[in-house]
Amino acid sequence: MALLAVGLLGAFALAVFVAVGGFVAVEVLLIAAVSPFSLLPLLVAPGLAVLVKALCSDDDRAPKVSLDASSAKVWALVRSVAADAGAREPTSVHLDAGVAVRLLSRRRLVIGVPLLAAVNPDQLRALLRTAFLQDIRFGRVIAWGVRVLSRARDELARARGLGALPRPAVRAFTGYYVRLAERVWASRDPVDVQWEREVLEELWERFLRRYAALGLRAGYLPSRPMAGFRRLLDAELPLGDEPRASALLAAESTLDQAFSDLLTDEQRAMPRADWDTLADLSQRHAVTRSAREVLGGLSLGDALDRLASGDLASLAKRGAADVVASVRQRLSLVVTAALADARVVHWRMAWPGPPEMVVGDPGAEEITAALDAAAAASPEVLPLRMVLVVAGVSPEYRPVPRAAVRG
């Protein structure tokens, strides 16, 4: 299989350069013949340019977070595994936010922080061994092929217009090649580690999408992102008292430093908040935006006056089949936003799952009953007005988005 992988990589490179040579030859002949079809070959030029760039470039820069001598336990494990695998020890060890252990050119080892947070030292040893074994018996060539093809696939995924023409073929070939490379190394990666890596990749993707990005719209990021990831791991895959590989690091904050590699410069400048504060800020931001849309410039008191007069249509969504149900749902958004501003309602993180709403005084049952009465076929808004008075919400309340506090 290793020979097949090397052969496929050579065939891919040969096909690209043959295509480039054929493109140049056809273009020269068509121009020489003053043919009206001389512009047709230019359709494939952008896609070929991406492929050539991927083959010829060596964008193999190590992540910024490197482990120095203070992380002696990690270095000791790395040197021990390298010696057992019969490979030279790496010149440097770096951390990134990927779910992998990989060996870059110039013998720079990169370890993903999700792995350190999830696996035990023995499992990390197995993953390190796999990375070092990829450096022998065609391993370096195959690993280079995975990087090159993945880079070409990613570049074509961002390409627009004619530059995206080779995208389906390259995506399919890359998928096949990566699966083949994994089969080449599969016998060197214990089954339990393979299974945990698959589960971990899914959890990491969910964490980034649902949790780490939770406060982005409100302009905030988590102050301790990897602590949140461990909470998700504890909820989905209980770790028990078994030591994690992250205990080998000199400082726990190193994990969060590596996580910042995922952020843009603009995101790095955002203020940070703990997870419960982040949940509250993000949900308040979302419900406030929805409440502004519902009221359309009215105050909460104005909206209740309209309901009291029987004008349900003014609060219902345009074209709603069930006006009463629409009013109930939209009025609930407005009242929730008002109660959140009054700090009667707040949110906290729930692992796993969406943020959990916590209701103070007046209680959830009283608020629900008042909303049901106000959003009925014959509205009774007095109970809701009383709830709002007790909560300290003014009839002049209008939802106003709150900007993130800097500094």
Side-chain angles (χ1 to χ4, degrees), residues 79-112:
R79 292 188 176 111
S80 171
V81 175
D84 290 344
R88 290 177 297 156
E89 68 179 53
T91 56
S92 59
V93 178
H94 303 265
L95 300 183
D96 74 353
V99 189
V101 176
R102 52 201 175 98
L103 194 63
L104 305 181
S105 60
R106 296 183 288 279
R107 306 205 57 72
R108 296 167 298 176
L109 182 68
V110 179
I111 305 175

Side-chain angles (χ1 to χ4, degrees), residues 43 46 158-167:
L43 295 177
R158 291 189 290 268
R160 295 292 181 268
L162 301 177
L165 286 176
R167 181 188 299 163

Side-chain angles (χ1 to χ4, degrees), residues 58-358:
D58 184 22
D59 186 15
D60 209 13
R61 293 166 293 187
K64 295 178 182 178
V65 179
S66 59
L67 299 184
D68 55 22
S70 64
S71 293
K73 293 181 180 179
V74 177
W75 271 103
L77 179 62
V78 167
R79 292 188 176 111
S80 171
V81 175
D84 290 344
R88 290 177 297 156
E89 68 179 53
T91 56
S92 59
V93 178
H94 303 265
L95 300 183
D96 74 353
V99 189
V101 176
R102 52 201 175 98
L103 194 63
L104 305 181
S105 60
R106 296 183 288 279
R107 306 205 57 72
R108 296 167 298 176
L109 182 68
V110 179
I111 305 175
V113 292
L115 289 175
L116 288 174
V119 303
N120 60 39
D122 288 338
Q123 291 170 322
L124 178 61
R125 177 182 289 274
L127 294 169
L128 288 169
R129 180 175 174 80
T130 297
F132 286 124
L133 288 174
Q134 290 174 11
D135 196 42
I136 57 179
R137 296 182 184 177
F138 304 114
R140 294 183 66 181
V141 176
I142 297 172
W144 177 81
V146 171
R147 293 197 303 271
V148 165
L149 291 171
S150 298
R151 187 160 59 238
R153 178 198 59 201
D154 295 342
E155 289 288 339
L156 287 171
R158 291 189 290 268
R160 295 292 181 268
L162 301 177
L165 286 176
R167 181 188 299 163
V170 172
R171 184 172 58 226
F173 184 83
T174 301
Y176 175 76
Y177 191 86
V178 169
R179 289 193 296 271
L180 180 62
E182 289 173 347
R183 289 175 61 194
V184 171
W185 298 318
S187 61
R188 303 162 184 167
D189 195 350
V191 173
D192 63 325
V193 176
Q194 287 182 21
W195 179 83
E196 290 212 14
R197 285 176 64 186
E198 291 176 2
V199 175
L200 188 59
E201 286 172 357
E202 188 276 329
L203 278 178
W204 181 242
E205 177 63 28
R206 193 197 321 166
F207 170 74
L208 294 179
R209 186 177 64 252
R210 295 186 184 177
Y211 299 98
L214 187 64
L216 277 179
R217 290 186 178 179
Y220 286 83
L221 283 173
S223 55
R224 295 297 308 279
M226 294 307 298
F229 181 60
R230 283 194 297 273
R231 292 284 299 276
L232 181 62
L233 281 171
D234 287 340
E236 294 281 6
L237 296 173
L239 305 178
D241 297 328
E242 190 176 10
R244 298 294 102 186
S246 57
L248 300 172
L249 294 171
E252 188 75 8
S253 59
T254 308
L255 295 176
D256 293 328
Q257 294 173 25
F259 176 86
S260 67
D261 277 356
L262 288 172
L263 307 178
T264 64
D265 291 340
E266 180 183 2
Q267 290 169 346
R268 290 190 184 97
M270 287 181 176
R272 306 303 174 96
D274 63 66
W275 282 102
D276 282 339
T277 302
L278 193 73
D280 188 55
L281 290 168
S282 65
Q283 297 303 106
R284 286 182 66 188
H285 177 79
V287 77
T288 298
R289 288 186 59 184
S290 299
R292 278 170 58 86
E293 179 186 344
V294 171
L295 291 178
L298 296 174
S299 69
L300 179 52
D302 294 335
L304 294 181
D305 288 341
R306 293 192 177 189
L307 285 179
S309 67
D311 184 10
L312 276 73
S314 62
L315 249 64
K317 188 173 183 178
R318 183 177 300 177
D322 188 334
V323 172
V324 172
S326 177
V327 170
R328 175 63 173 79
Q329 186 266 334
R330 287 158 67 83
L331 183 60
S332 176
L333 291 172
V334 176
V335 170
T336 301
L339 294 176
D341 270 4
R343 304 312 294 155
V344 172
V345 165
H346 70 276
W347 288 264
R348 63 188 178 196
M349 286 301 300
W351 305 93
E356 177 183 60
M357 187 168 71
V358 180

Side-chain angles (χ1 to χ4, degrees), residues 372-387:
D372 289 340
S378 299
E380 295 183 17
V381 300
L382 182 58
L384 184 55
R385 291 188 197 272
M386 295 302 298
V387 164

